[in-house]
Amino acid sequence: KQEVTQIPAALSVPEGENLVLNCSFTDSAIYNLQWFRQDPGKGLTSLLLIQSSQREQTSGRLNASLDKSSGRSTLYIAASQPGDSATYLCASETGANNLFFGTGTRLTVIP
Amino acid sequence: NAGVMQNPRHLVRRRGQEARLRCSPMKGHSHVYWYRQLPEEGLKFMVYLQKENIIDESGMPKERFSAEFPKEGPSILRIQQVVRGDSAAYFCASSPKKETQYFGPGTRLLVL
């Protein structure tokens, strides 16, 4: 069974700093790896999806990388802003019919 | 094209009552997934349905929980005789085929 771990559980950074969020998974036979953002009391917003054949995806200030062999993915956020404060979730899709989620990293960007 | 819609957004029930959570998938989406997020935990898969069929219910508790996705109308997640441990956020996602899932805003269930 796929296990997804996210470290750190919480992170506070000053505005403008670059940061990296980490995600690791135990089963490397994944179809894709996805990063989501969840605001308090809200649903999930998909940020980036990396197919298993890809190494990275970029969207604006966000860059996600995938290393299947080591079972790791990172989400890089450049020039962080207070509006980036949220919980970031990674999720992997394997051959099963569902996504396996990590417990998330709660990010606070301090103005 | 409206996104995935869930209602109610918040639901309060007393122990022993029934909870019905509704999910309307995006237009053209015939695949629906239900996830549960317990306090301070990650989202956990519950069930995957296509129209009128349950495809995978490996994440559903064996008792009190059921799900359906009728030919017409929303998908329903039903919890009978709720207990305090059922308090959680329940998220629905939909997809047109078995691909990228689009999530709804969730229903937050509180059992008193």
Side-chain angles (χ1 to χ4, degrees):
Chain A
K1 181 186 171 184
Q2 179 75 287
E3 300 278 343
V4 180
T5 304
Q6 291 187 247
I7 294 173
L11 179 66
S12 290
V13 299
E15 181 177 2
E17 196 162 291
N18 303 326
L19 60 101
V20 175
L21 306 181
N22 298 292
C23 172
S24 61
F25 46 94
T26 54
D27 184 354
S28 61
I30 62 172
Y31 286 176
N32 59 60
L33 191 291
Q34 197 164 358
W35 283 91
F36 293 87
R37 169 184 173 141
Q38 184 176 26
D39 292 282
K42 301 286 180 62
L44 279 67
T45 301
S46 179
L47 298 173
L48 290 165
L49 184 150
I50 312 174
Q51 299 289 354
S52 62
S53 59
Q54 298 173 322
R55 295 287 298 213
E56 66 178 344
Q57 282 286 336
T58 298
S59 175
R61 295 182 294 107
L62 306 179
N63 176 277
S65 67
L66 174 64
D67 184 343
K68 276 181 54 178
S69 60
S70 66
R72 293 181 183 177
S73 176
T74 62
L75 178 66
Y76 175 82
I77 302 177
S80 58
Q81 302 171 358
D84 295 331
S85 297
T87 296
Y88 291 81
L89 302 170
C90 72
S92 69
E93 181 175 2
T94 62
N97 298 305
N98 63 88
L99 297 173
F100 289 88
F101 283 85
T103 51
T105 294
R106 186 163 49 244
L107 173 66
T108 303
V109 180
I110 305 165
Chain B
N1 188 6
V4 178
M5 299 176 67
Q6 291 188 248
N7 70 81
R9 295 290 304 276
H10 298 273
L11 181 62
V12 179
R13 284 288 178 266
R14 296 192 180 280
R15 281 180 297 170
Q17 292 184 320
E18 178 180 288
R20 280 180 174 250
L21 288 61
R22 295 175 187 77
C23 169
S24 296
M26 289 178 69
K27 187 176 181 181
H29 288 195
S30 58
H31 297 236
V32 166
Y33 310 78
W34 285 93
Y35 293 82
R36 176 167 65 174
Q37 185 177 34
L38 293 167
E40 305 302 320
E41 294 189 17
L43 276 79
K44 296 286 195 301
F45 167 77
M46 298 183 76
V47 62
Y48 162 44
L49 310 101
Q50 293 181 29
K51 282 287 187 180
E52 299 185 276
N53 290 304
I54 297 175
I55 307 302
D56 182 351
E57 55 182 351
S58 58
M60 286 278 271
K62 294 290 185 285
E63 298 177 346
R64 303 187 297 107
F65 285 71
S66 62
E68 62 177 16
F69 189 16
K71 186 176 181 180
E72 301 291 338
S75 175
I76 305 288
L77 180 67
R78 182 182 177 204
I79 311 172
Q80 295 177 289
Q81 300 173 357
V82 295
V83 301
R84 288 214 175 102
D86 296 333
S87 296
Y90 292 83
F91 290 95
C92 165
S94 74
S95 64
K97 299 178 184 179
K98 191 181 175 311
E99 50 187 60
T100 304
Q101 298 176 26
Y102 296 84
F103 282 79
T107 292
R108 277 145 187 88
L109 172 66
L110 175 63
V111 180
L112 301 176

